Amino acid sequence: MTVKRRNHGRSKKNRGHTRPVRCSNCGKCTPKDKAIKRFMVRNIVETAALRDISDASAYAQNQDQYILPKMYLKMQYCVSCAIHSHIVRVRSREDRRVRVQAPRFRRRLAQQ
């Protein structure tokens, strides 16, 4: 039988079964090792309300400013939702053999 991928699209080696997880987008059950997992980092407060909170804050504005914590959400997508929302891309047959991770781009902090 022809094989499209070396790992058959899963990371289940010598395991008979993995528990299903729900897709964060559509709710489809997909095996945990097959799901595409990404962390989404968001601010707890949206930017519109951030200025109101800083104006009402008891801390000084210029020094010792309180930094609001961030939310780290683990998003798990099924394959079809990950492709549809451009989280992963469809690759050609030759590019599927490349096992090197794509370079990560970090946003630069604003120059002060």
Side-chain angles (χ1 to χ4, degrees):
M1 190 167 114
T2 59
V3 174
K4 195 171 187 181
R5 287 174 188 81
R6 177 180 170 178
N7 61 356
H8 304 286
R10 301 181 70 164
S11 63
K12 179 185 71 72
K13 299 295 182 192
N14 204 18
R15 249 179 253 123
H17 183 262
T18 56
R19 66 179 182 87
V21 294
R22 291 289 187 157
C23 175
S24 298
N25 192 26
C26 68
K28 177 183 176 184
C29 270
T30 184
K32 186 182 178 194
D33 59 324
K34 191 173 189 171
I36 291 97
K37 295 167 274 292
R38 297 287 186 267
F39 272 102
M40 181 190 299
V41 181
R42 293 174 53 189
N43 290 325
I44 288 180
V45 180
E46 63 269 4
T47 55
L50 196 60
R51 184 167 182 215
D52 296 336
I53 291 173
S54 64
D55 290 343
S57 177
Y59 292 104
Q61 289 293 331
N62 52 6
Q63 58 187 356
D64 297 331
Q65 187 176 8
Y66 180 72
I67 299 171
L68 287 172
K70 296 189 180 295
M71 283 192 304
Y72 294 91
L73 304 170
K74 186 174 185 179
M75 308 299 283
Q76 297 177 334
Y77 299 99
C78 63
V79 175
S80 57
C81 285
I83 291 171
H84 182 73
S85 57
H86 303 292
I87 294 167
V88 292
R89 307 269 181 196
V90 176
R91 296 190 291 174
S92 66
R93 183 176 292 181
E94 291 81 24
D95 288 341
R96 269 186 237 136
R97 304 280 183 235
V98 177
R99 295 172 60 87
V100 178
Q101 197 173 28
R104 293 188 179 186
F105 297 104
R106 300 196 80 174
R107 289 186 286 167
R108 291 187 211 169
L109 296 175
Q111 297 291 333
Q112 294 180 3

